[in-house]
Amino acid sequence: MGKTGRVLREVLDTYGISQNKLAIAMGVRRSVVYRWFNELIDPTGDTLVKMVVALKLLDIDAAREFVQRYLGEVLEDEGEAEVDRSTNTE
């Protein structure tokens, strides 16, 4: 467990968004958000999308920062993991 909870905690703290507000915006129980926040469980990919949509409703900057902190390093390390597109058959 890890990255989601850490990033979620940082963003909620930075933007003053409570776990309860996020839970209401997502339509989930606060205890579920608590478990993500405290790195007890990780959300699914679909749930991450719902989380970003809910953050966007609460504070667009919080949503942007969550995505940047969660996925930003994937884009920043572009050169390190070059994909050979010439052999991609998809």
Side-chain angles (χ1 to χ4, degrees):
M1 310 288 148
K3 187 172 185 177
T4 306
R6 179 181 50 79
V7 172
L8 181 62
R9 189 170 44 256
E10 291 168 359
V11 169
L12 294 185
D13 288 346
T14 298
Y15 290 89
I17 299 170
S18 70
Q19 293 177 45
N20 192 52
K21 279 186 180 179
L22 180 60
I24 290 168
M26 290 183 69
V28 299
R29 292 183 317 252
R30 194 192 71 73
S31 62
V32 174
V33 175
Y34 172 88
R35 285 184 251 156
W36 298 327
F37 189 90
N38 289 289
E39 303 176 33
L40 301 174
I41 61 171
D42 285 326
T44 64
D46 289 341
T47 302
L48 281 170
V49 171
K50 291 176 185 176
M51 188 181 294
V52 171
V53 169
L55 285 169
K56 189 176 170 184
L57 291 172
L58 297 169
D59 188 320
I60 186 70
D61 292 329
R64 287 184 179 133
E65 187 162 340
F66 179 85
V67 171
Q68 177 59 40
R69 287 185 183 207
Y70 192 78
L71 295 174
E73 61 196 40
V74 172
L75 294 174
E76 290 170 7
D77 295 337
E78 243 175 58
E80 292 179 19
E82 277 296 318
V83 175
D84 182 3
R85 289 180 173 75
S86 64
T87 59
N88 191 350
T89 58
E90 289 184 46

